[in-house]
Amino acid sequence: DSETGEILTLVSTPTYDPQALSTKYLDPESERQRRQQVSGFFTHPQKLFFNRAISGAYPPGSVFKVLTALAGLDSGAIDAGKTVDDTGVLEVGEYSYANWYYTQYGRIDGPISLVRALARSNDIYFYKAAEWTGPQKIADMARLFGLGKLTGIELPGEAAGLVPDPAWKERELGERWYLGNTFHFGIGQDNLLVT
């Protein structure tokens, strides 16, 4: 609920039949089958009891582009009128970074500015916006919005997620941060993880 912060629904899949945990059968064969079913819940390869909604940490993808845009606007690296020419693929030396629209449909957006880039979820625009803004400013904006920290939900097992930056990558992975990391970070990929 946007007014109270109350969680109205929380879903984690795949799931299991909770009735099998709360029902006990008097018939011995039915009870044996129920126990076997419950035992299977614990050994299921998809880890049915793992609460993916609060304990699973995943790259957020394109929804993160809003934070890249905010960081760019806040830092002055971009403004509403600044355009990027989407040619389908951004070439940087021997590396190529494609836009999803080009990869899936062979189409391009051409010159595109912020509002349209958000509406189209244009990867090329956000690669460049991330480059101009810089990974530290994007990481700072993400942290300002609470990413990389626990939300404090009153359920056990919450993961904090991860907001990477160049210092984190150097410290934790022993590698320097590359422009490609910035591109992927700007579109909500790479080492960025949220619940």
Side-chain angles (χ1 to χ4, degrees):
D1 184 320
S2 63
E3 302 216 4
T4 67
E6 179 183 20
I7 295 172
L8 302 178
T9 186
L10 189 68
V11 177
S12 180
T13 62
T15 190
Y16 55 91
D17 178 6
Q19 182 126 2
L21 301 173
S22 61
T23 303
K24 186 171 183 182
Y25 296 102
L26 296 177
D27 172 55
E29 179 57 24
S30 296
E31 179 59 16
R32 185 193 68 73
Q33 289 176 5
R34 182 195 73 82
R35 288 176 181 242
Q36 185 177 13
Q37 180 184 22
V38 169
S39 179
F41 293 164
F42 288 96
T43 59
H44 196 282
Q46 291 183 307
K47 299 179 179 165
L48 302 181
F49 289 113
F50 180 66
N51 187 340
R52 288 163 175 80
I54 63 167
S55 301
Y58 310 96
S62 291
V63 297
F64 188 78
K65 291 172 182 173
V66 173
L67 292 180
T68 300
L70 286 171
L73 290 167
D74 186 61
S75 69
I78 62 171
D79 61 41
K82 190 165 191 167
T83 63
V84 170
D85 189 22
D86 170 21
T87 59
V89 178
L90 177 61
E91 303 282 346
V92 179
E94 62 187 81
Y95 299 99
S96 300
Y97 302 88
N99 182 25
W100 70 269
Y101 191 47
Y102 182 76
T103 303
Q104 285 188 311
Y105 303 107
R107 312 243 347 244
I108 63 170
D109 283 319
I112 190 165
S113 60
L114 177 61
V115 173
R116 180 93 172 125
L118 282 166
R120 298 281 305 134
S121 190
N122 185 285
D123 293 333
I124 302 291
Y125 182 90
F126 287 99
Y127 294 149
K128 294 304 290 181
E131 178 183 357
W132 296 329
T133 303
Q136 192 59 58
K137 287 185 169 92
I138 297 169
D140 292 344
M141 184 61 70
R143 291 182 186 117
L144 184 65
F145 275 79
L147 275 62
K149 294 185 271 186
L150 296 174
T151 66
I153 191 170
E154 295 172 352
L155 293 171
E158 181 184 11
L162 171 67
V163 177
D165 59 29
W168 170 87
K169 188 175 182 200
E170 181 74 36
R171 181 179 66 252
E172 297 298 323
L173 303 180
E175 301 173 0
R176 71 182 205 86
W177 187 277
Y178 294 98
L179 180 58
N181 297 118
T182 300
F183 288 167
H184 291 137
F185 185 34
I187 65 166
Q189 299 293 332
D190 206 42
N191 296 111
L192 177 66
L193 300 172
V194 300
T195 60

